[in-house]
Amino acid sequence: MSKTLASYYQQAYACDQQHFNQCFYCGCEATERDHCPPLHMLQSIVDLGEEADFISIPACYECHALLHNERLMTIDERFTKMKKKLATPNHPNTPNT
């Protein structure tokens, strides 16, 4: 990622120590940074002047992979979409009942 693109994003961190290094979406260990909007869509979003949060948040590999291609501009939109995806029985982070 170029320094120019990185400058668009603010990094968000947990406010409480117990949530440090946890996925924002599911609570598993965070191994990635999810960018809102996704990095590969940034140039077109900037060129079109679209409004977006431009935030980078901790995410686990699975949640990052599920959201990677979603053109969702706010953290709220991404969180809502992820809740729906996590509710499906085939997601690896869905508890077995």
Side-chain angles (χ1 to χ4, degrees):
M1 174 173 53
S2 75
K3 188 169 180 115
T4 304
L5 294 180
S7 67
Y8 279 93
Y9 293 92
Q10 293 183 343
Q11 290 196 10
Y13 296 99
C15 294
D16 193 347
Q17 183 178 358
Q18 72 185 31
H19 299 295
F20 182 75
N21 205 34
Q22 283 186 346
C23 176
F24 175 78
Y25 303 107
C26 71
C28 290
E29 182 181 359
T31 58
E32 313 286 328
R33 298 291 301 178
D34 182 44
H35 293 84
C36 174
L39 282 173
H40 66 280
M41 298 178 185
L42 178 62
Q43 192 62 54
S44 67
I45 290 165
V46 170
D47 290 346
L48 294 172
E50 296 180 75
E51 292 291 320
D53 282 349
F54 298 107
I55 295 175
S56 165
I57 58 172
C60 68
Y61 176 82
E62 292 85 0
C63 289
H64 181 263
L66 286 169
L67 284 174
H68 179 70
N69 288 320
E70 298 288 343
R71 190 178 178 92
L72 302 168
M73 306 302 205
T74 67
I75 294 296
D76 287 339
E77 290 174 326
R78 295 178 80 74
F79 185 76
T80 300
K81 180 73 167 195
M82 184 52 65
K83 274 178 57 176
K84 290 177 185 174
K85 288 186 177 209
L86 288 174
T88 61
N90 295 332
H91 188 273
N93 293 343
T94 302
N96 294 329
T97 53

